[in-house]
Amino acid sequence: MSEVVHAFTVEIPVWRPYVTPVDLAQATAEQQDALKVTPSNTKVSDYVLVLAHDPESLTHRTPLFNAIMYGAGGLSRSERELGAIGASVVNRCIYCAAVHASRYNQLTKSTELVEEVFRAGADARLPAREQAIYNFAVKLSRCPPEADAADIERLRAAGLSELEILDLVLAIAIFGWANRLMHTLGEPVAGSD
Amino acid sequence: MTTIENLLGADARLATLLGQRRTIMELTEASGTAVLTPREPGGLPHGLRAAIALRAAAVQDEELMAHYRAMLEACPGGVGFAAFAVPGTMPEDARLAAILRHADLLTAEPRQATRDDIEALKAAGVTEPDIVRLAELCAFLAYQARLLMGFRLLRNAR
């Protein structure tokens, strides 16, 4: 039995579900349809097969997630990832944090920011623009959300346009969603597929 | 006009911004329909979903409360769940109580969720598809509340 990962890491763990994934061979037409819109349908992940228990949601959430994280224009890819990291730290989704921290490192070709975030959590000290983005992500992700007008001022002062702030809100919010699935329907275990 | 845009009210500058993310707004609307009034509700009837949404709104965004109260009142069978739309209230029925307890956890403290919480749902008779449906519902509500707060802050920034 592999060990459950409890600390933040950039080594992407294996996700072990608490709920039985849908058996692809037994999937209904609607489930198969919902599964088709995922990036890879040759090897469907256990996570997506668990979500296939609710095909109506999955059908819309997959393209929504992709549009928010990978859509053209507006906020940079890496800064969307930083929003995702902030949410995942608040919600302590080890798996999401690992995936999106390693993407952030790839996109920025650096590791310092992620190391500081994983070391200090919500109190991480970062360069000005990243700090404004990260603090906003942390505050908006809390329950109830705590962001306020001063956070928007700081984002503007750090050079973000209104469209970039809009994209940041979307990236943070979609991880409020993703974390609540990934972290609550299964657990990260050490090792790889 | 999507639900979120209706809740935000008319604002020309925000409308221009959201117009640049039209697909996202429409997929958000479709996702809301899928979790609140799905064609196949499973063991979570529309009235219970509206009650959970109202209960979550009281915790994470009071401006959503009127919206979900209206949805609950308009829902056939919604009246049977209205008593549990208030945070802190718990029904006698063990399965329903387990669902509401888990909904509260997903809304307020998802970081505290463990395997035991899912086992408790199963032990109370909640099926695996209903466990996933419940997670999608509460996760969507968290997303929606954060969109609303973020968009409101953007709208009010001048």
Side-chain angles (χ1 to χ4, degrees):
Chain A
M1 192 90 152
S2 317
E3 217 159 292
V4 178
V5 183
H6 293 292
F8 287 120
T9 173
V10 290
E11 309 262 319
I12 298 172
V14 174
W15 188 78
R16 187 166 62 197
Y18 302 147
V19 170
T20 316
V22 167
D23 178 357
L24 209 45
Q26 309 277 317
T28 66
E30 192 185 12
Q31 286 171 330
Q32 286 180 11
D33 221 42
L35 290 164
K36 216 176 293 169
V37 292
T38 63
S40 151
N41 51 12
T42 51
K43 187 188 179 302
V44 184
S45 69
D46 273 352
Y47 175 60
V48 175
L49 289 169
V50 165
L51 299 185
H53 281 296
D54 184 356
E56 284 179 65
S57 296
L58 182 59
T59 296
H60 302 298
R61 202 190 69 94
T62 306
L64 175 61
F65 182 93
N66 290 337
I68 289 175
M69 293 307 287
Y70 312 118
L75 192 64
S76 68
R77 275 282 316 276
S78 64
E79 288 174 329
R80 295 182 208 197
E81 299 291 354
L82 184 53
I85 293 167
S88 302
V89 165
V90 170
N91 295 321
R92 218 171 164 81
C93 183
I94 302 291
Y95 187 92
C96 294
V99 169
H100 296 280
S102 48
R103 282 216 190 118
Y104 182 88
N105 285 350
Q106 284 164 9
L107 290 163
T108 61
K109 300 184 172 59
S110 67
T111 58
E112 289 86 352
L113 179 140
V114 163
E115 283 161 11
E116 168 64 7
V117 163
F118 283 180
R119 187 190 65 76
D123 302 322
R125 300 289 299 269
L126 309 172
R129 182 173 166 112
E130 287 79 3
Q131 187 83 65
I133 291 172
Y134 181 73
N135 287 359
F136 180 60
V138 166
K139 289 170 78 176
L140 192 61
S141 298
R142 292 211 165 107
C143 183
E146 290 171 0
D148 58 27
D151 295 304
I152 303 296
E153 297 276 320
R154 280 185 211 103
L155 291 166
R156 297 300 302 267
L160 274 81
S161 70
E162 290 193 317
L163 186 63
E164 287 179 315
I165 297 173
L166 174 70
D167 286 343
L168 179 59
V169 168
L170 289 164
I172 297 163
I174 197 71
F175 272 83
W177 188 339
N179 294 160
R180 280 173 174 80
L181 300 175
M182 190 72 87
H183 178 67
T184 72
L185 292 171
E187 64 194 350
V189 293
S192 57
D193 286 316
Chain B
M1 265 300 235
T2 61
T3 301
I4 290 216
E5 288 163 291
N6 277 324
L7 287 164
L8 287 161
D11 181 274
R13 212 183 42 161
L14 186 64
T16 306
L17 271 180
L18 294 180
Q20 295 180 68
R21 296 291 179 262
R22 185 50 41 205
T23 305
I24 288 173
M25 296 311 293
E26 281 164 11
L27 286 167
T28 297
E29 186 71 8
S31 296
T33 303
V35 295
L36 287 154
T37 53
R39 291 186 308 279
E40 175 49 78
L44 305 179
H46 293 178
L48 174 57
R49 290 168 188 254
I52 289 171
L54 178 52
R55 188 177 172 109
V59 173
Q60 59 192 356
D61 194 321
E62 292 185 0
E63 286 191 29
L64 276 164
M65 289 180 70
H67 173 69
Y68 285 120
R69 190 172 291 119
M71 182 180 281
L72 179 63
E73 283 167 5
C75 180
V79 67
F81 298 105
F84 315 119
V86 181
T89 54
M90 274 295 165
E92 295 279 321
D93 179 79
R95 176 180 171 275
L96 201 52
I99 288 172
L100 292 174
R101 204 174 297 117
H102 195 65
D104 291 347
L105 179 72
L106 285 167
T107 297
E109 290 187 299
R111 62 186 287 148
Q112 303 293 349
T114 67
R115 178 186 289 275
D116 290 347
D117 296 299
I118 298 299
E119 294 307 325
L121 287 169
K122 291 179 185 173
V126 183
T127 67
E128 292 194 311
D130 285 347
I131 290 171
V132 176
R133 292 182 181 110
L134 180 62
E136 291 277 16
L137 170 63
C138 296
F140 170 84
L141 294 169
Y143 163 79
Q144 182 187 47
R146 280 155 187 83
L147 281 198
L148 198 57
M149 169 170 263
F151 292 173
R152 211 188 287 131
L153 289 172
L154 259 179
R155 180 194 65 195
N156 296 344
R158 284 290 187 269

